[in-house]
Amino acid sequence: MRQVAHGDKEAFSVLYDALAPLVIGIVIKVVRDRAQSEEVAQEVMIDLWRQAARYRPDSGSVITWAATIAHRRAVDRVRSAQASTDREHAQAAREHRTAFDEVAEQVETRLDSEQVRRCLRGLTELQRQAVTLAYYQGLTYREVAEALHTPLPTVKTRMRDGLIRLRDCMGVTT
């Protein structure tokens, strides 16, 4: 390893021949795709060449060191591939659109409108006026009170009572 660390190509050739089968075996077990495994194994062997000076014999054998690098690289490749797949699935889910049935939507809107009109007819005249001014004309409580020439607390009470009756009529549960 000292010779490889000093750039000795022949020493690296011997190291390559000794470690390549081990490295490719470890990577194939983790990655499970031959083409990607060969690519990862090549990256590992390049790492061994570049990092040879970092090898410390007191930390373990060259075989253990190479096996650790191979395993880490293989796991990184699997995680990267999984993250890519997850991103593609998430993007596909975001882009998925449910078919829109315009006719069904119009029918549903018409039925809802008819039910609202029917329920509004069930309110007292004062409740209907207050709710109509607030929700169909967008007036505030104070503006409704001014339009009906009615005290603000009375308008608030009418609207509360009217909305409760509408909720019950529409079958809305809280």
Side-chain angles (χ1 to χ4, degrees):
M1 283 304 292
R2 263 184 255 129
Q3 292 171 323
V4 173
H6 292 310
D8 186 335
K9 291 179 184 176
E10 284 187 36
F12 181 71
S13 180
V14 171
L15 181 72
Y16 187 97
D17 291 341
L19 294 179
L22 169 75
V23 168
I24 193 71
I26 291 171
V27 174
I28 286 174
K29 284 182 182 176
V30 175
V31 176
R32 297 185 182 174
D33 176 77
R34 183 72 185 187
Q36 283 193 31
S37 295
E38 289 173 358
E39 195 175 298
V40 172
Q42 188 65 33
E43 291 171 6
V44 170
M45 296 311 294
I46 291 170
D47 279 351
L48 293 177
W49 169 260
R50 290 180 179 161
Q51 296 180 26
R54 298 177 70 197
Y55 169 70
R56 298 289 173 252
D58 53 329
S59 296
S61 69
V62 173
I63 292 172
T64 303
W65 184 60
T68 301
I69 292 173
H71 187 262
R72 286 181 183 163
R73 274 292 183 131
V75 169
D76 288 346
R77 175 62 63 98
V78 170
R79 286 180 180 158
S80 175
Q82 185 61 49
S84 177
T85 301
D86 291 348
R87 282 190 302 274
E88 288 172 8
H89 287 300
Q91 182 64 29
R94 283 190 298 272
E95 291 175 355
H96 177 73
R97 302 265 192 258
T98 304
F100 178 72
D101 186 347
E102 188 175 330
V103 174
E105 186 71 23
Q106 288 174 352
V107 169
E108 187 175 331
T109 300
R110 186 172 297 136
L111 291 173
D112 288 344
S113 297
E114 288 174 12
Q115 184 178 10
V116 169
R117 282 192 292 275
R118 182 178 52 77
C119 290
L120 278 171
R121 285 191 300 270
L123 301 179
T124 67
E125 183 61 29
L126 300 173
Q127 290 171 338
R128 185 173 40 257
Q129 286 176 334
V131 169
T132 301
L133 288 171
Y135 286 92
Y136 290 110
Q137 294 184 16
L139 301 182
T140 64
Y141 284 123
R142 185 169 308 285
E143 292 168 335
V144 170
E146 290 171 5
L148 297 177
H149 306 292
T150 307
L152 182 61
T154 303
V155 168
K156 288 182 177 181
T157 301
R158 286 179 187 166
M159 287 185 60
R160 186 196 72 226
D161 292 344
L163 291 173
I164 289 170
R165 288 177 72 178
L166 281 173
R167 179 193 67 201
D168 293 343
C169 178
M170 300 280 296
V172 176
T173 57
T174 56

